[in-house]
Amino acid sequence: LSAPTIVNNSVKPSAANNNSIFNITAAITDNFNVNSTIAEVQKPDATKENLTMNKSSGDIYSGTFNATANGTFFVIIYANDSVNNRVQSSTFNFTVDTTKPLITTINYTPSSADAIDPNVSINVSVTVTDNVLVDTVLILYRKESDSIWTNTTASNVSSLYWGNFTPNSEANWSFAVWANDTSGNVNISANTTINVTFDFTWNVTPVELGVIGGVKGTNNVILGNITINNSGDFTMNFTLSKKSSLYINQ
């Protein structure tokens, strides 16, 4: 008589947060009769606990383990038959993870007051990392007077994530970054608030012309060139007026 065989040993989930229930399973067969199956679980502090596995369906044996410590757990399944032939599986593991994803370096464009207007998309980029694996990153946004957040899923290359939203009215708008990992841990960034409004802005170059000299009796004196740039969102009319002083150097 040969020893039992153990195949397809697994644990689900492979990672979760504290006080989670892990389901350990394996397909165990024997040419005579499987007598007992035990899962030996080694905890992160190196202590061990034996878990009796029961037949659930067909050749599948399973048992549940409540993990309360943070770290990696190692599992070996032992099985014997009615004539005391014994076999053990290869070692496999699962992880208890209580560390939230890390959210850093939040940037957005456009970022100047002149460029942020209603119906202009705000592009948000953020770095998100995790000690196990990042699952989902969302960009949350709302008008500051609203109570409900809207979200859009961020795309990524490696740890750099990006997404966008479009404010549709003049108001203060807030956005934040929400992230979770495959263990179920969640982190949310602080809110960033932007003022979305049509604006009246302009600039004048140069700010002043300085002292201009001329010859007495000359009808025309060139004072210089003035450039007015309308950087706002509305058509504007500008009026130039003069204020002169005459100094005679004799």
Side-chain angles (χ1 to χ4, degrees), residues 76-113:
I76 299 175
I77 296 175
Y78 296 92
N80 67 354
D81 59 20
S82 298
V83 292
N84 210 31
N85 293 307
R86 191 181 187 206
V87 69
Q88 71 180 62
S89 72
S90 58
T91 302
F92 54 106
N93 64 72
F94 61 91
T95 301
V96 174
D97 168 35
T98 58
T99 303
K100 299 177 181 180
L102 181 63
I103 300 173
T104 59
T105 319
I106 299 175
N107 293 307
Y108 63 94
T109 58
S111 58
S112 67

Side-chain angles (χ1 to χ4, degrees), residues 129-216:
T129 56
D130 188 69
N131 63 322
V132 176
L133 184 64
V134 175
D135 182 32
T136 303
V137 176
L138 303 175
I139 309 299
L140 311 178
Y141 63 95
R142 69 179 182 185
K143 190 159 57 176
E144 206 167 57
S145 59
D146 293 342
S147 58
I148 304 299
W149 291 92
T150 302
N151 69 75
T152 180
T153 302
S155 303
N156 75 295
V157 172
S158 187
S159 60
L160 179 63
Y161 290 76
W162 65 89
N164 63 73
F165 67 96
T166 304
N168 59 12
S169 62
E170 289 189 282
N172 284 332
W173 287 73
S174 294
F175 70 87
V177 176
W178 180 99
N180 73 343
D181 60 20
T182 53
S183 304
N185 299 300
V186 174
N187 197 7
I188 303 176
S189 73
N191 294 349
T192 299
T193 300
I194 58 176
N195 179 254
V196 179
T197 184
F198 293 116
D199 49 83
F200 293 88
T201 55
W202 68 90
N203 58 73
V204 178
T205 305
V207 176
E208 58 181 50
L209 295 173
V211 177
I212 304 298
V215 178
K216 185 178 180 180

